Amino acid sequence: MAEADANDMLPEDVSSTDDLDEMITRIGLQGLEDGGRRGPFLVVGLGNPGLEYVWTPHNAGFMAIDRIAEQEGVVVQNRRCRATTATCRIAGREVILAKPETFMNLSGAAVAALVREYEADPAKDLLVIYDELDFALGTFKIRERGSPAGHNGARSVTSALGSEEWLRLRIGVGQDLPPEAKDAGARRPGRDYLLSPMRKADLTVLDEVLDRVAAATRRIIQDGPGPAMNEFNRKDV
């Protein structure tokens, strides 16, 4: 039997081996552009479960997840990995929105369980959103890595993952004290403030911030943390 010509074995829509090589190269490059990732992106907001904590500063992360879910037309009500979750698609990628059912200082247990369940890379496939007392209400900041800086939820996540290499978005909930108060050594609010219901005026400010947090989250998923930080970490925003 005569040996078959290589071109006779090609798919119908490929006319030559050169075209096949080009197709394989194009598919490979597309995979690189996608970062080689095929699993979902995890967005986890930190907070405390229970009606008494719903409108407290410490639950800013939960509020952010609810705002993203509302805008994406989903409800965070499924129970998985010690968290309530919802699934949506953002920028063509499957996204898991999650709120741990553990209390704040045990948040890492839920985050680690989600990472294992979805075989996610914490450095590439995870965004954790939580409150930051050192930032003034009305602000937020994206950071790719770093220490927990005294935040119990962030400390729990770092401990559970065994790494500080995870993306975080910190929402400011601190009081913007005037310079004279700072010069006088005024103390920042503490635990009682974080776990007490916010004033209506402060919730109005936070409401506007949550829309920007949702926009920043979409930018992260679509373009990566670098472009998102360039846009949203500017001091004039």
Side-chain angles (χ1 to χ4, degrees):
M1 179 182 292
E3 184 176 347
D5 187 281
N7 288 335
D8 294 337
M9 304 174 64
L10 296 172
E12 292 182 358
D13 57 346
V14 178
S15 60
S16 69
T17 54
D18 289 340
D19 290 340
L20 181 61
D21 289 340
E22 182 180 349
M23 177 184 292
I24 293 173
T25 300
R26 186 168 61 250
I27 293 172
L29 289 175
Q30 183 178 354
L32 289 175
E33 290 172 356
D34 291 340
R37 295 174 288 173
R38 292 295 182 269
F41 189 91
L42 308 178
V43 183
V44 184
L46 305 188
N48 287 306
L51 293 176
E52 66 269 37
Y53 300 112
V54 169
W55 303 114
T56 64
H58 224 20
N59 271 35
F62 276 13
M63 296 182 209
I65 294 296
D66 287 336
R67 179 60 54 87
I68 297 168
E70 178 186 1
Q71 294 181 356
E72 296 300 323
V74 296
V75 179
V76 185
Q77 61 183 5
N78 300 322
R79 301 186 69 185
R80 193 163 193 173
C81 300
R82 305 183 70 180
T84 54
T85 68
T87 303
C88 60
R89 293 196 71 85
I90 297 176
R93 185 165 184 193
E94 182 181 8
V95 176
I96 306 298
L97 305 174
K99 299 190 295 184
E101 291 187 303
T102 59
F103 281 91
M104 179 68 82
N105 61 352
L106 297 175
S107 299
V111 174
L114 288 163
V115 166
R116 289 192 300 269
E117 174 75 12
Y118 293 100
E119 298 181 350
D121 181 346
K124 298 178 181 179
D125 305 323
L126 171 67
L127 169 66
V128 181
I129 305 176
Y130 57 93
D131 62 289
E132 177 54 70
L133 193 55
D134 285 335
F135 295 166
L137 182 67
T139 66
F140 69 89
K141 188 172 184 179
I142 305 162
R143 189 177 182 186
E144 291 189 86
R145 62 187 62 84
S147 69
H151 191 283
N152 290 335
R155 183 184 297 113
S156 177
V157 172
T158 292
S159 177
L161 296 178
S163 171
E164 295 181 350
E165 298 287 324
W166 47 274
L167 183 66
R168 69 285 314 270
L169 189 157
R170 296 174 291 169
I171 301 174
V173 296
Q175 295 177 335
D176 191 10
L177 299 175
E180 56 271 21
K182 295 179 181 178
D183 293 340
R187 297 178 60 187
R188 69 174 188 172
R191 177 182 172 83
D192 290 343
Y193 167 75
L194 289 174
L195 298 179
S196 300
M198 299 178 70
R199 298 178 303 174
K200 185 176 181 180
D202 290 342
L203 285 171
T204 299
V205 174
L206 183 58
D207 182 71
E208 187 273 333
V209 172
L210 294 178
D211 283 336
R212 290 193 285 122
V213 167
T217 299
R218 292 189 187 89
R219 185 72 189 276
I220 289 169
I221 296 168
Q222 177 173 325
D223 300 317
M229 288 189 288
N230 288 339
E231 178 178 354
F232 292 96
N233 283 3
R234 300 198 317 268
K235 290 184 178 180
D236 61 331
V237 174

